[in-house]
């Protein structure tokens, strides 16, 4: 049994992450058993002695029947010994005396109870009754071995003392030799039998203890393993933070407290800026170390606010904190930005003027309980995060319901975009692009328009960011390319149409293939299309975008750089990509009223021209600006001076008019 238990204790659990190891020898197990047995004996001492004394006193009735002449003395002795033993035991328990002394008191009570009764009993006149009455002395021997749970040594000593007293009395009591031999053998038999039973009981108690210990350890190990697995299922293996499952549970708890007792809280989403570029540059191992550093720093910082932080997926973290005002949540969000920035982790290839790792932070705060849903606060934090990234990154934004970019109105627009194509709510208008030398319209730019179900127009500045945030731009982009080909290019109404393409589209696998499919279905050559790519923060220079641009150029599609000068990575893009045309933002032309503004425009034109790209200037609205464009030798212009955006039917009509004019001239 010992070997089995030791084996169980040693090899109980082998699984990660919980690996307990128990190795107890026989001596240690015995010591542990004695320690636990002491507690058991201590608990049983009081009721055991009280019951024993009660039975001892009840035997006073046999004194009255068998030795009536000395019964008064034996009964007095019984009460004296019994009450004394109880008083001593109660005093010891009150003073907290050790268990061993409690056992000695009970053993002494047995011995003195026997002696105290025996002394007056042997003085009885009826010697024959006395001699037979002595057999009751074996009850005290059995009490020592069987009634109390003494350790084996104390039981043997106590019962041996009683055995000796029995033999002494048996020797002096007047009786026949046969009587003495029979009762002497009986005494020895009782002593041997009860001692053996006592030994077996002690061994059985020890085995019960071992079984109970084994079961307890197995239960403990199973419990700890379960806790470890639960922790593992709720912990992010890389950073050690809570994972999304754990955070979602905590979010439900926070939400429940807010709904029931009004305890407000905030949710903060954190995204490591340009993390994919960090991985591409330094490798995934360094990327993991970066996330660990950020996680550790934020975890320490959030402790100051009694908040919870978890990894929400990839390079995104989430913080939940109970706060009373939205200003407190914004303060935490800004502190998060500062904490990561202070780490000064090197990130040299960002191309946005920053050379360290930073984070963008979006925060939302509980506002109204009426009709609120659990997911709403996360959606609001996500929308605030999107604005933080669009606003330059390395900053914090708090969800503002009055901001059209983040308000509930944007959610209505997101829902509208899902049905826009099917309900014919989206359309295209085209703005002409003029060649400066020939004064001819060489191309048009397709501009998307959206209207609501009641016909109200939605500004592109409002619905385009929502489309990019929700991913609706992918379907809208494919629709726009197909529509351009069908409305203007398939029947040669215009030579070239430029279409704005979002970086999100360029990052999407299969985008170039889908464009090739549209060209094949409509019978339009790729050289008739130009894709305008905006030089903005979302235009990250990673391999997916560069590969997609290369594939598009293989189709013959022209690649234009839109709004040059307004972003952060324009020069790098000019170096990496052979653009067909670079569009200079209208703001530089409109600043030409001052000498410094005019000089800046000239510098930009010189820079682009040195790279060999054609130049298109946006926002030409006056004759003076047109004259300046001729002076600067600009290739193409666009603006109200050339023409305002118009539906496709306008260009189709012009094409038809040119055909009729050509037919008239030919016939003449």
């Amino acid at each position: 049994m010992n070997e089995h238990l030791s084996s169980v204790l040693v090899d109980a659990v082998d699984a990660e992450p919980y690996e307990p190891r128990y190795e107890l020898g026989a001596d240690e197990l015995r010591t542990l058993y004695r320690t636990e047995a002491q507690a058991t004996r201590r608990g049983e001492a009081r009721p055991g002695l009280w019951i024993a004394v009660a039975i001892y006193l009840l035997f006073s009735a046999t004194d009255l029947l068998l030795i009536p002449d000395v019964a008064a003395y034996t009964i007095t002795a019984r009460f004296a010994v019994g009450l004394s033993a109880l008083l001593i035991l109660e005093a010891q328990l009150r003073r907290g005396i050790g268990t061993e002394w409690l056992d000695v008191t009970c053993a002494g009570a047995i011995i003195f109870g026997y002696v105290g009764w025996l002394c007056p009993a042997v003085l009885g006149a009826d010697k024959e009754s006395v001699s037979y009455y002595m057999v009751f002395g074996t009850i005290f021997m059995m009490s020592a071995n069987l009634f109390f749970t003494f350790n084996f040594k104390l039981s043997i000593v106590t019962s041996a003392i009683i055995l000796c007293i029995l033999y002494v009395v048996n020797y002096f009591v007047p009786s026949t030799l046969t009587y003495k031999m029979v009762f002497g053998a009986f005494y020895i038999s009782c002593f041997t039998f009860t001692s053996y039973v006592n030994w077996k009981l002690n061994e059985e108690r020890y085995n019960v203890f071992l079984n109970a210990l084994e079961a307890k350890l197995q239960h403990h190990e199973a419990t700890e393993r379960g806790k470890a697995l639960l922790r593992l299922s709720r912990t992010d293996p890389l950073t050690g933070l809570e994972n999304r499952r754990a955070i979602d549970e905590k979010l439900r708890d926070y939400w429940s407290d807010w709904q029931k007792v009004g305890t407000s809280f905030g949710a903060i989403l954190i995204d490591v800026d340009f993390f994919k570029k960090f991985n591409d540059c330094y490798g995934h191992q360094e990327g993991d170390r970066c996330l660990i550093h950020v996680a550790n720093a934020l975890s320490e910082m959030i402790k100051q606010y009694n908040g919870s932080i978890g990894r929400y997926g990839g390079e995104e973290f989430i913080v939940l904190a109970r706060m009373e005002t939205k200003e407190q949540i914004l303060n935490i969000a800004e502190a998060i930005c500062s904490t990561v920035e202070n780490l000064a982790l090197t990130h040299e290839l960002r191309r946005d003027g920053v050379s360290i790792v930073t984070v963008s932070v979006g925060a939302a705060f509980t506002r109204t309980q009426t009709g609120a849903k659990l997911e709403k606060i996360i959606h609001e934090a996500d929308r605030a995060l999107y604005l933080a990234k669009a606003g330059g990154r390395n900053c914090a934004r708090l969800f503002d319901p009055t901001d059209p970019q983040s308000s509930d109105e944007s959610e209505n627009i997101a829902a509208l975009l899902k049905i826009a194509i099917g309900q014919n709510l989206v359309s295209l208008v085209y703005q002409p692009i003029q060649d400066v030398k020939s004064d001819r319209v060489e191309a048009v730019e397709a501009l998307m328009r959206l209207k609501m179900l009641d016909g109200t127009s939605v500004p592109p500045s409002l619905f385009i960011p929502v489309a990019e945030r929700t991913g609706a731009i992918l379907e809208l982009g494919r629709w726009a390319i197909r529509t351009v080909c069908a409305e203007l290019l398939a029947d040669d109404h215009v030579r070239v149409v430029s279409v704005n393409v979002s970086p999100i589209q360029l990052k999407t696998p299969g985008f170039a293939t889908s464009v090739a499919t549209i060209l094949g279905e409509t019978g339009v050559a790729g050289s008739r299309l130009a894709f305008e790519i905006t030089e903005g923060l979302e235009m990250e220079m990673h391999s997916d975008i560069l590969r997609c641009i290369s594939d598009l150029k293989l189709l013959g599609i022209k690649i234009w750089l839109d709004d040059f000068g307004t972003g952060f990575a324009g020069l790098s893009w000019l170096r990496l990509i052979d653009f067909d045309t670079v569009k200079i933002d209208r703001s530089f032309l409109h600043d030409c009223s001052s000498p410094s503004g005019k000089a800046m425009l000239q510098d930009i034109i010189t820079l682009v021209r040195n790279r060999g790209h054609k130049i298109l200037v946006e926002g030409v609205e006056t004759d003076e600006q047109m004259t300046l464009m001729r002076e600067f030798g600009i290739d193409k212009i666009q603006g109200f001076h050339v023409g305002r955006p118009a539906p496709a039917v306008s260009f189709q009509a012009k094409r038809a008019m040119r055909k009729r004019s050509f037919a008239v001239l030919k016939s003449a």
Side-chain angles (χ1 to χ4, degrees):
M1 182 67 187
N2 293 353
E3 294 179 357
H4 173 66
L5 179 60
S6 297
S7 174
V8 170
L9 295 175
V10 172
D11 301 317
V13 179
D14 292 321
E16 290 286 356
Y18 173 68
E19 293 188 357
R21 289 290 183 269
Y22 301 100
E23 188 172 359
L24 299 178
D27 293 339
E28 292 174 308
L29 288 172
R30 284 286 180 182
T31 301
L32 183 60
Y33 165 68
R34 285 194 292 270
T35 301
E36 292 201 5
Q38 283 184 357
T40 302
R41 296 202 310 273
R42 189 175 190 85
E44 294 176 353
R46 173 183 281 152
L49 187 60
W50 275 88
I51 293 172
V53 168
I55 295 172
Y56 178 62
L57 296 178
L58 288 175
F59 267 90
S60 298
T62 59
D63 294 345
L64 293 172
L65 292 174
L66 299 176
I67 48 174
D69 54 334
V70 292
Y73 303 107
T74 59
I75 293 172
T76 301
R78 287 179 187 274
F79 274 90
V81 173
L83 294 177
S84 297
L86 291 176
L87 290 173
I88 293 172
L89 181 69
E90 292 297 328
Q92 289 176 326
L93 289 171
R94 185 177 293 274
R95 295 179 60 185
I97 298 298
T99 304
E100 296 85 357
W101 290 104
L102 298 181
D103 288 344
V104 170
T105 298
C106 293
I110 293 173
I111 295 171
F112 285 103
Y114 177 49
V115 174
W117 164 78
L118 182 61
C119 290
V122 297
L123 299 176
D126 188 351
K127 299 301 180 182
E128 185 176 358
S129 295
V130 170
S131 63
Y132 285 106
Y133 199 19
M134 292 305 101
V135 74
F136 283 96
T138 57
I139 294 176
F140 294 90
M141 185 187 302
M142 288 186 287
S143 297
N145 281 324
L146 305 178
F147 186 78
F148 289 93
T149 57
F150 300 148
N151 63 65
F152 184 65
K153 292 181 180 178
L154 182 59
S155 298
I156 290 296
V157 171
T158 304
S159 59
I161 291 173
I162 295 174
L163 176 63
C164 293
I165 296 172
L166 283 169
Y167 265 97
V168 170
V169 174
N170 190 43
Y171 178 78
F172 287 104
V173 170
S175 59
T176 64
L177 180 60
T178 301
Y179 171 89
K180 294 180 183 295
M181 292 178 63
V182 170
F183 276 89
F186 176 69
Y187 297 152
I188 288 291
S189 299
C190 283
F191 173 78
T192 304
F193 174 75
T194 57
S195 297
Y196 174 76
V197 172
N198 178 271
W199 175 75
K200 292 296 290 183
L201 286 174
N202 273 285
E203 285 299 307
E204 187 60 30
R205 292 189 191 103
Y206 181 58
N207 288 333
V208 169
F209 159 75
L210 293 179
N211 289 329
L213 179 61
E214 180 180 353
K216 185 187 299 183
L217 291 176
Q218 289 178 343
H219 174 72
H220 173 73
E221 289 159 5
T223 302
E224 289 301 314
R225 184 187 289 109
K227 291 179 180 178
L229 291 175
L230 180 61
R231 287 193 299 270
L232 183 63
S233 70
R234 296 167 55 85
T235 303
D236 174 58
L238 176 64
T239 62
L241 301 178
E242 293 180 305
N243 60 15
R244 185 161 188 161
R245 172 184 176 183
I247 283 293
D248 284 343
E249 291 178 4
K250 192 158 291 184
L251 176 62
R252 284 193 289 271
D253 293 339
Y254 277 41
W255 186 268
S256 177
D257 290 344
W258 180 55
Q259 292 288 310
K260 292 178 180 178
V261 298
T263 305
S264 56
F265 71 96
I268 303 172
L269 290 177
I270 306 157
D271 189 84
V272 180
D273 296 329
F274 300 104
F275 185 71
K276 187 179 187 302
K277 186 178 293 294
F278 187 97
N279 268 341
D280 293 341
C281 177
Y282 300 105
H284 290 283
Q285 288 186 341
E286 285 300 318
D288 289 347
R289 292 191 186 97
C290 171
L291 292 178
I292 292 171
H293 284 307
V294 171
N296 291 340
L298 293 182
S299 180
E300 287 298 318
M301 191 220 80
I302 295 302
K303 288 180 182 177
Q304 305 172 19
Y305 300 93
N306 295 321
S308 301
I309 181 171
R311 188 180 179 195
Y312 217 48
E315 67 272 23
E316 193 171 53
F317 301 90
I318 183 172
V319 169
L320 301 175
R322 289 186 171 92
M323 292 291 165
E324 296 180 357
T325 65
K326 62 182 181 181
E327 287 76 16
Q328 291 175 318
I329 293 297
L330 182 58
N331 290 338
I332 297 177
E334 292 174 345
I336 288 171
C337 287
S338 301
T339 298
V340 176
E341 191 173 10
N342 291 338
L343 291 176
L345 300 175
T346 303
H347 190 352
E348 295 179 342
L349 300 181
R350 289 178 48 146
R351 308 294 182 181
D352 65 345
V354 180
S355 59
I356 60 174
V357 171
T358 60
V359 294
S360 300
V361 181
F365 186 68
T366 49
R367 293 181 289 120
T368 175
Q369 294 171 299
T370 305
K373 295 182 179 180
L374 173 64
E375 300 80 6
K376 188 175 181 63
I377 192 168
I378 298 298
H379 290 163
E380 291 176 350
D382 185 59
R383 282 145 68 182
L385 175 61
Y386 178 84
L387 292 180
K389 294 169 70 175
R393 290 186 170 89
N394 190 23
C395 61
R397 292 288 184 270
L398 179 67
F399 175 80
D400 182 1
T402 64
D403 186 345
Q405 290 290 349
S406 62
S407 67
D408 290 338
E409 183 182 355
S410 69
E411 291 302 294
N412 295 333
I413 293 174
L416 187 67
L417 290 173
K418 293 180 180 179
I419 63 171
I421 296 175
Q423 297 290 328
N424 295 320
L425 301 177
V426 64
S427 61
L428 292 177
V429 293
Y430 302 90
Q431 186 171 19
I433 297 172
Q434 178 178 308
D435 182 272
V436 175
K437 290 183 179 180
S438 65
D439 288 335
R440 292 171 54 186
V441 173
E442 296 288 336
V444 295
E445 179 184 3
L447 302 172
M448 191 174 294
R449 297 291 184 259
L450 177 70
K451 62 182 179 181
M452 304 186 77
L453 293 172
D454 61 0
T456 305
S457 296
V458 181
S461 60
L462 188 57
F463 77 79
I464 293 297
V466 175
E468 291 183 329
R469 174 170 60 83
T470 60
I473 195 68
L474 299 176
E475 185 178 359
L476 290 173
R478 287 191 293 269
W479 172 86
I481 296 170
R482 186 181 298 277
T483 302
V484 161
C485 292
E487 286 186 342
L488 294 183
L489 295 179
D491 294 327
D492 296 327
H493 295 297
V494 296
R495 291 179 58 188
V496 175
V497 178
S498 70
V499 180
N500 289 279
V501 174
S502 167
I504 296 174
Q505 293 170 269
L506 297 176
K507 294 177 187 178
T508 303
F511 174 69
T513 303
S514 65
V515 173
T517 301
I518 293 173
L519 293 176
E521 291 174 352
T522 57
V524 174
S527 59
R528 307 280 303 283
L529 271 178
F531 283 170
E532 296 189 21
I533 303 172
T534 302
E535 175 218 347
L537 285 170
E538 291 295 330
M539 195 63 177
E540 301 177 20
M541 289 184 293
H542 52 66
S543 57
D544 292 341
I545 288 182
L546 295 176
R547 189 180 302 111
C548 182
I549 290 175
S550 177
D551 292 342
L552 292 172
K553 291 180 76 69
L554 289 175
L555 294 174
I557 296 173
K558 300 176 177 63
I559 304 298
W560 294 4
L561 180 59
D562 193 16
D563 295 336
F564 179 73
T566 60
F568 295 87
L571 296 179
S572 298
W573 281 109
L574 286 179
R575 179 174 57 83
L576 290 172
I577 300 174
D578 183 20
F579 290 102
D580 296 279
T581 299
V582 174
K583 296 181 70 172
I584 298 176
D585 187 71
R586 69 184 65 236
S587 60
F588 294 100
L589 175 61
H590 293 173
D591 286 343
C592 283
S593 57
S594 66
S596 60
K598 185 175 181 180
M600 177 173 287
L601 178 59
Q602 285 180 307
D603 291 340
I604 293 175
I605 291 171
T606 301
L607 173 65
V608 176
R609 186 168 286 143
N610 289 340
R611 294 294 302 170
H613 308 299
K614 291 184 179 180
I615 299 174
L616 187 157
V617 176
E618 299 176 295
V620 178
E621 299 175 354
T622 65
D623 290 336
E624 291 77 8
Q625 291 173 339
M626 183 65 195
T627 301
L628 187 62
M629 294 299 95
R630 295 184 187 279
E631 177 185 338
F632 286 166
I634 300 301
D635 300 295
K636 304 172 186 177
I637 60 171
Q638 184 178 5
F640 293 165
H641 184 77
V642 178
R644 293 177 178 272
V649 64
S650 299
F651 296 92
Q652 294 167 353
K654 290 178 182 178
R655 174 68 175 173
M657 186 179 298
R658 286 197 299 271
K659 283 186 176 181
R660 286 196 297 271
S661 299
F662 179 76
V664 170
L665 290 173
K666 188 175 180 180
S667 61

